Amino acid sequence: MDTVDCVVIGAGVVGLAVARQLALAGLEPLIIERHRAIGMETSSRNSEVIHAGLYYAPGSLKARLCLRGRDLLYTWCQQRGIAHRRCGKLIVATHEAQRGELEVLERRAIDNGVNDLRLLERAEAQALEPALHCVAALLSPSTGIIDSHAYLLSLLGDAEAHGAILATSSAVTAMRLVRNGIQICINDDPEPLLLARRAVNAAGLHAPALARAIEGFPTLQVPAEHFAKGSYFTLDGRPPFSRLVYPLPQPGGLGVHLTLDLAGQARFGPDVEWLEPGQPFDYAVDPARAAAFHQAILDYWPGLRPGQLLPGYAGIRPKLAGPGAPAADFRLDGPQSHGVPGLVNLFGIESPGLTASLAIAERVGALLAAA
Ligand SMILES: Cc1cc2nc3c(=O)[nH]c(=O)nc-3n(C[C@H](O)[C@H](O)[C@H](O)COP(=O)(O)OP(=O)(O)OC[C@H]3O[C@@H](n4cnc5c(N)ncnc54)[C@H](O)[C@@H]3O)c2cc1C
């Protein structure tokens, strides 16, 4: 059995950012990924939005790491030539009764340290986006979009340049806590292949199941998981918008919003569809959902024509709170919280995990350094 300083399980955006951080600290992490390539799960099934940090409970990890991560990510993109655009977004109140909600959102954003918002009246918003219907809107200039695939590749490149190694087609199927580290079994081989002094569980949707499978780890330290699928529809034709357009947030998600990719193509979504416990992950988009999307979009874009929505793709949110429960925070559980030296479990890394990835990595580095 080989002994390694450190393993990172999962080569999504968070695992790669963490591996880079640990490589910079001289730990030579081995990144273990069950798929043939990096970023094949949630990290390639999202809106590719760099969030400004408006929505989250003040003081929460989501709020703090989103703001810090956003700033780090813009700098990263600028320094490394990663395609991105600080295009801004409008959050819209489409009838007078929603005006108060917009103001609540603005206050929350200010509490989070987002200090560049502007509350616009209808005419001001329509001067920016003539096709938009609203009674008022909140303009967030520091929201942007990013080529997430290029970002993932740049993280991997930098991690490898500092000593990280990527092993693909390698599923961690069992782990065992022992006196001098954590034994790791790969691809159902009952014999452990590795002894790691430190391990970071960045397995995304599977992180709670993986933590529960660690022999000797207290299962009480593993939260129950819930999953909410989000489907997207793409627009047939050029969108008449140059900024992202969001309705007010809805339970479980941010509402059926319009995002743009860097080629200017528009997509709508994600909606929220809670999965039953044990329901298999199915990323197919049901074309029948187009009717509800159409209805929701007409609220802020009356110009959408029948037949313009084409089924796109879907992602699944790893949630720690179920339907109807208040949104849960990220969990970055290190030795200080569960008592196992050298182990960090990352739970509930849903949105804004892409935006926050570099800040999450900093935090994980600090958790392991302090252990
Ligand atoms: C619909 C949707 C829209 C979103 N939009 C945005 C957005 O616009 N902006 C934003 O900031 N965030 C957004 N997010 C959140 C963001 O995409 C996630 O927070 C982020 O991608 C999580 O990255 P991750 O590395 O934790 O997980 P993942 O990308 O899922 O990576 C986990 C990796 O672990 C691997 N793995 C799992 N189990 C094992 C095992 N046993 N052994 C080896 N490997 C294993 C998986 O194969 C996978 O590659 C969105 C999320 C969703 C679902």
Side-chain angles (χ1 to χ4, degrees):
M1 191 184 347
D2 286 332
T3 299
V4 294
D5 257 350
C6 172
V7 298
V8 176
I9 303 159
V13 70
V14 172
L16 292 172
V18 166
R20 170 191 171 265
Q21 185 77 34
L22 300 178
L24 289 180
L27 289 178
E28 300 189 350
L30 175 65
I31 311 163
I32 307 178
E33 168 55 51
R34 63 183 188 153
H35 290 297
R36 278 181 297 112
I38 63 171
M40 291 189 70
E41 296 201 355
T42 311
S43 295
S44 54
R45 299 179 163 277
N46 57 53
S47 304
E48 298 187 291
V49 172
I50 302 178
H51 285 295
L54 320 182
Y55 299 102
Y56 318 106
S60 63
L61 282 176
K62 280 185 178 170
R64 286 179 289 152
L65 298 179
C66 184
L67 255 79
R68 170 85 181 141
R70 173 197 80 182
D71 293 345
L72 291 171
L73 189 51
Y74 276 124
T75 305
W76 179 280
C77 290
Q78 279 149 15
Q79 289 178 344
R80 290 159 206 259
I82 305 301
H84 70 291
R85 191 148 51 87
R86 206 184 278 247
C87 53
K89 92 171 173 186
L90 288 162
I91 304 144
V92 295
T94 54
H95 44 270
E96 284 300 334
Q98 288 183 332
R99 208 180 258 278
E101 285 179 65
L102 212 53
E103 287 164 6
V104 169
L105 189 58
E106 184 187 24
R107 278 197 297 278
R108 169 170 280 213
I110 291 168
D111 287 346
N112 281 341
V114 182
N115 48 23
D116 59 355
L117 297 181
R118 275 175 56 209
L119 196 52
L120 306 179
E121 288 304 320
R122 178 204 310 256
E124 294 170 294
Q126 287 179 339
L128 297 176
E129 298 288 359
L132 186 68
H133 165 76
C134 67
V135 296
L138 205 51
L139 172 66
S140 165
S142 52
T143 301
I145 52 177
I146 179 173
D147 176 347
S148 59
H149 191 64
Y151 173 49
L152 285 163
L153 286 173
S154 69
L155 284 173
L156 176 63
D158 207 50
E160 287 179 333
H162 289 91
I165 294 173
L166 171 66
T168 53
S169 303
S170 306
V172 173
T173 43
M175 293 164 85
R176 189 175 307 124
L177 301 182
V178 291
R179 190 182 46 80
N180 48 353
I182 302 163
Q183 291 179 345
I184 308 229
C185 298
I186 303 287
N187 292 342
D188 291 318
D189 185 343
E191 283 305 310
L193 190 67
L194 299 166
L195 174 70
R197 293 197 193 89
R198 301 172 186 81
V200 179
N201 170 5
L205 296 167
H206 314 276
L210 188 62
R212 240 174 260 122
I214 303 174
E215 207 179 300
F217 186 72
T219 47
L220 277 177
Q221 297 287 346
V222 185
E225 63 268 66
H226 306 268
F227 301 107
K229 178 174 173 179
S231 295
Y232 292 86
F233 283 80
T234 54
L235 180 72
D236 186 12
R238 295 295 292 180
F241 299 101
S242 58
R243 294 169 186 77
L244 315 184
V245 180
Y246 282 56
L248 283 158
Q250 282 152 19
L254 297 181
V256 170
H257 46 266
L258 173 149
T259 54
L260 302 166
D261 64 19
L262 287 155
Q265 180 72 43
R267 58 194 161 205
F268 295 93
D271 61 355
V272 179
E273 180 187 353
W274 289 96
L275 304 188
E276 298 297 329
Q279 189 177 335
F281 295 160
D282 171 7
Y283 289 107
V285 173
D286 178 0
R289 301 183 85 79
F293 270 68
H294 198 101
Q295 204 51 47
I297 297 161
L298 284 178
D299 269 355
Y300 57 83
W301 181 29
L304 177 67
R305 294 192 310 276
Q308 272 194 294
L309 295 179
L310 307 174
Y313 62 96
I316 296 175
R317 304 171 181 89
K319 290 200 166 279
L320 299 182
D329 203 2
F330 291 157
R331 272 184 58 177
L332 279 48
D333 289 8
Q336 296 86 343
S337 65
H338 52 61
V340 176
L343 177 68
V344 177
N345 285 312
L346 303 179
F347 297 131
I349 314 296
E350 53 173 333
S351 191
L354 171 67
T355 308
S357 49
L358 290 167
I360 293 173
E362 282 183 341
R363 235 356 133 89
V364 172
L367 288 175
L368 285 177

